[in-house]
């Protein structure tokens, strides 16, 4: 499946970018100071889960045509 690696790599890159942003306190995490670490981690978790769900959705779209083709590619029952 040629698209799988690209799909996984894109998600991994997005999650790494989120991890860097929360660690550095930049982007959507810039609003949280040291006292807001728990809130920043909640946001981080939410955003990572969104990336993971999006990746699952893309993977299902890639797998769907293969799943639909499988039954018709089997020989008819005798």
């Amino acid at each position: 499946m040629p698209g799988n690696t690209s799909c996984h790599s894109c998600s991994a890159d997005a999650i790494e970018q989120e991890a860097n942003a929360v660690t550095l306190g930049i982007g959507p995490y810039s609003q949280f100071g040291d006292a807001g670490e728990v809130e920043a981690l909640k946001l981080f978790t939410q955003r990572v889960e969104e990336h993971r769900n999006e990746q699952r959705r893309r993977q299902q779209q890639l797998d769907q045509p293969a799943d639909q083709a499988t039954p018709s590619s089997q020989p008819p029952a005798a």
Side-chain angles (χ1 to χ4, degrees), residues 24-45:
L24 297 172
I26 60 175
Y29 308 100
S30 62
Q31 64 187 351
F32 305 105
D34 291 336
E37 183 177 356
V38 170
E39 292 303 314
L41 290 175
K42 286 180 184 178
L43 179 61
F44 171 74
T45 301

Side-chain angles (χ1 to χ4, degrees), residues 1-2 6 8-9 13 16 19-20 26 29 31 33-34 36-38 47-48 53 55-56 63 66-67 69-70 72 75:
M1 296 187 186
S6 173
H8 291 296
S9 177
D13 289 346
E16 182 179 6
N20 290 337
I26 60 175
Y29 308 100
Q31 64 187 351
D34 291 336
E37 183 177 356
V38 170
R47 291 173 61 95
V48 167
N53 289 336
Q55 191 277 324
R56 280 189 212 106
D63 291 346
D67 291 347
T70 302
S72 63

Side-chain angles (χ1 to χ4, degrees), residues 47-61:
R47 291 173 61 95
V48 167
E49 286 304 313
E50 289 170 1
H51 287 299
R52 293 178 68 205
N53 289 336
E54 178 64 20
Q55 191 277 324
R56 280 189 212 106
R57 187 188 65 73
R58 286 191 307 253
Q59 185 64 45
Q60 287 174 344
Q61 287 178 338

